[in-house]
Amino acid sequence: MTAALQLNDKGDLQRFLAEHYEKELLRLVVVGSVDDGKSTLIGRLLYECNGLFEDQVAAVKRASAGEEIDFSLFTDGLRAEREQGITIDVAYRYFSTRRRKVIVADTPGHIQYTRNMATGASTADAAVILVDARLGILPQTRRHAYIASLLGIPYLAVSINKMDLMDFDPAVYARLTKEFDAFASTLGFEQVRYFPISARGGDNITQPSGRTPWHDGETLLGWLESLPHQRRLDGAPFRFPVQYVLRPNLDYRGFAGQIASGTVRVGDEVVVFPSKRRTHIAAIDTFDGSLGEASAPSSVTLRLADEVDVSRGDLIAHAEKPPVALQYLEAMLVWFGEERLDTSRRYLVKHTSKYVPAHVEQVLWRKDLEALSEVPAESLSLNDIGKVRLVCKRPLICDPYTENRKTGAFIVVDPLTNDTVAAGMILGAAGEAGDQEARSLISAEERRARLGQSGAVILLTGTPEVQTLAPRLERALFDQGRHVVTVRGDAENALALAEAGLLAILYTPFRRRGWGCGINSAAPVSPGWSWIPPTSWSAR
């Protein structure tokens, strides 16, 4: 590496390795808009923290156009990235300081690659967001900050970059920090810290800068070293999604996977979900031998004391702190798909180690990142963030995202293209438990495919002669191959039949008081009746 380690004997090497092993781990993500200097900042950290090999430094020096090192080349490794001067893929780099080890993710700033940014931020303990001092707070800056808070990242460093191009003017720094602070104060970060930096010049990154005497002197690296350790989930409930069933011979049956959270010990009472069968942990096996206990994020094989039917996708948890089973749930979605969210389509939800068919029943609202308001929406487009009501074919064994980032997160997959179209964070159950049991498990799309028609209400009103018109209309539609039924005066019953996929002829000599029908696309087909989609009914 750029700074050689002087290890005199085997004992020095062992001590060095032991100290390195004991250092706390910090997962860091660097975000921001296009050309804010994210890759340059990370390259500077790697260079000054001795996180590079000598041949890497030599290669980048040769590739740099001028005499100065282009630090962005340490992370932007794709040819397209170097040609365009932008980050496309998430690049993970590693360096070590005196106090801790750091895994840093360099994420794209381009709006087209917001999905990559969310991927890189999903496992982070802290985030650094860069703001170009020349351009100020941009819409993409707000979007990335909101996604970081949505993903549960507690600590945020706001680095006002390229201050050298603004002559390190303290008024520029004060204006941008005030503007961002007004935005960030509503996002729920535990701590937000501001730094005036120059990634190219190295100011206030690892060493205090003499060009910012008005700054308190704290550096970005010093702040990273001072953060409390976040990844120890010793007190979290035990969660073990089963990834694979091992059956090498008749005498061995083990369930392999990665511990998502918590700690498990031999003899612990556990419950297997969704069957809810209780048993005990008989053994914890690894490649190196059996263990008495294991904690997240270890990958282990569990053997159970009883013969319990367990398959891939099941979840093993402690009996005293079980997860929840949700089939109807509310979640936050970050939409990645090029095509808009279609509430009539079925998607696949990938949660822990299993796929579940699901559909979005309703978009509750979409987040306006400029006004920080929740605006009504019927769908979500590329890079939109919104709250939805999700209906799954089988219950998800999960926890709210705020309590467990592993079992509270999921992705949405388009089954036709196999593309990941959204990332989701579970908020909790949708409505009351009784409402969940009463909801149908059959989607409107499935009913259309089975019946060959969409459900609707045909409303007949006016003179008493509609009483004779209704059966004639029912006969005519039935002879045309339609699934149709006649209802007299009961609007609730007609609506229920329409939601089941039938054509419900609702007739009454006089319009029923208290009901209104919003006829948005229904021109009368015949005098006295109209075609009313069930979704247009509204009680007044």
Side-chain angles (χ1 to χ4, degrees), residues 34-53:
V34 176
D35 202 31
D36 280 345
K38 299 180 295 298
S39 298
T40 303
L41 172 63
I42 295 173
R44 169 72 68 174
L45 284 170
L46 294 173
Y47 183 79
E48 297 191 359
C49 293
N50 302 322
L52 300 166
F53 292 100

Side-chain angles (χ1 to χ4, degrees), residues 146 365-368 371-376:
Y146 184 77
W365 48 260
R366 177 181 59 83
K367 194 72 173 182
D368 183 343
L372 285 181
S373 60
E374 300 167 1
V375 297

Side-chain angles (χ1 to χ4, degrees), residues 181-506:
D181 198 52
F183 169 76
S185 61
T186 64
L187 298 183
F189 290 105
E190 292 185 24
Q191 181 185 128
V192 179
R193 187 71 172 86
Y194 296 92
F195 299 91
I197 70 168
S198 169
R200 186 177 64 177
D203 297 85
N204 295 321
I205 296 177
T206 61
Q207 298 294 329
S209 173
R211 297 193 284 183
T212 56
W214 39 268
H215 181 57
D216 61 12
E218 185 180 15
T219 64
L220 178 62
L221 183 63
W223 179 79
L224 293 176
E225 288 189 312
S226 68
L227 293 178
H229 190 44
Q230 289 291 308
R231 283 288 132 184
R232 298 192 186 277
L233 300 176
D234 298 334
F238 170 62
R239 302 288 185 262
F240 184 80
V242 177
Q243 296 182 8
Y244 194 70
V245 179
L246 299 178
R247 183 71 167 164
N249 54 60
L250 295 177
D251 299 323
Y252 189 97
R253 179 185 284 111
F255 307 104
Q258 184 182 46
I259 300 176
S261 63
T263 300
V264 64
R265 298 172 179 84
V266 174
D268 283 356
E269 184 181 14
V270 294
V271 179
V272 178
F273 291 91
S275 66
K276 296 185 180 180
R277 289 288 304 275
R278 290 178 176 250
T279 183
H280 292 81
I281 300 296
I284 304 172
D285 298 333
T286 68
F287 180 80
D288 297 320
S290 297
L291 301 175
E293 69 175 53
S295 301
S298 300
S299 295
V300 298
T301 298
L302 301 182
R303 283 187 284 154
L304 305 180
D306 304 296
E307 293 292 337
V308 179
D309 183 13
V310 182
S311 303
R312 174 181 170 84
D314 291 353
L315 186 135
I316 302 175
H318 277 149
E320 66 272 15
K321 294 182 179 180
V324 293
L326 297 181
Q327 195 162 358
Y328 300 88
L329 54 96
E330 290 183 354
M332 294 296 298
L333 283 189
V334 182
W335 193 254
F336 298 155
E338 299 288 345
E339 296 185 2
R340 293 168 59 88
L341 166 64
D342 187 349
T343 54
S344 67
R345 284 197 53 195
R346 178 183 293 183
Y347 296 94
L348 291 176
V349 167
K350 171 67 164 57
H351 176 256
T352 61
S353 56
K354 69 176 180 180
Y355 287 88
V356 176
H359 73 276
V360 176
E361 185 179 66
Q362 182 184 0
V363 179
L364 300 176
W365 48 260
R366 177 181 59 83
K367 194 72 173 182
D368 183 343
L369 296 178
E370 288 295 326
L372 285 181
S373 60
E374 300 167 1
V375 297
E378 295 183 356
S379 181
L380 297 177
S381 301
L382 178 65
N383 297 320
D384 279 347
I385 302 169
K387 183 178 179 180
V388 302
R389 182 174 292 118
L390 189 68
V391 181
C392 301
K393 278 294 184 181
R394 296 185 298 275
L396 300 183
I397 310 303
C398 59
D399 299 280
Y401 185 81
T402 54
E403 299 178 10
N404 195 315
R405 293 172 71 179
K406 292 290 187 179
T407 56
F410 62 89
I411 61 173
V412 181
V413 179
D414 186 333
L416 298 180
T417 63
N418 208 34
D419 291 339
T420 299
V421 294
M425 285 69 69
I426 296 172
L427 301 176
E432 300 296 331
D435 295 338
Q436 294 191 35
E437 295 178 0
R439 294 173 184 263
S440 174
L441 299 181
I442 304 173
S443 67
E445 182 184 45
E446 290 177 290
R447 295 187 191 277
R448 286 197 299 269
R450 175 67 61 84
L451 299 175
Q453 66 180 38
S454 297
V457 175
I458 301 172
L459 178 63
L460 300 179
T461 61
T463 63
E465 283 73 17
V466 298
Q467 188 169 327
T468 61
L469 176 62
R472 298 203 310 270
L473 178 61
E474 181 183 19
R475 180 76 248 182
L477 291 174
F478 183 81
D479 291 340
Q480 293 178 11
R482 301 289 186 177
H483 301 274
V484 60
V485 65
T486 299
V487 181
R488 188 186 191 282
D490 192 341
E492 295 283 357
N493 192 20
L495 181 58
L497 291 170
E499 289 175 340
L502 301 178
L503 301 182
I505 301 174
L506 173 62

Side-chain angles (χ1 to χ4, degrees), residues 15-83:
R15 283 193 296 272
F16 170 78
L17 293 177
E19 291 175 0
H20 184 75
Y21 180 79
E22 291 298 325
K23 288 181 180 179
E24 295 178 345
L25 174 65
L26 177 73
R27 298 179 184 270
L28 176 69
V29 63
V30 180
V31 300
S33 190
V34 176
D35 202 31
D36 280 345
K38 299 180 295 298
S39 298
T40 303
L41 172 63
I42 295 173
R44 169 72 68 174
L45 284 170
L46 294 173
Y47 183 79
E48 297 191 359
C49 293
N50 302 322
L52 300 166
F53 292 100
E54 292 181 357
D55 59 340
Q56 291 177 297
V57 176
V60 169
K61 285 182 177 179
R62 289 193 300 269
S64 299
E67 295 182 358
E68 295 183 355
I69 297 177
D70 185 352
F71 292 100
S72 68
L73 299 182
F74 289 122
T75 57
D76 290 340
L78 299 180
R79 177 179 296 179
E81 293 178 325
R82 298 193 180 195
E83 288 176 349

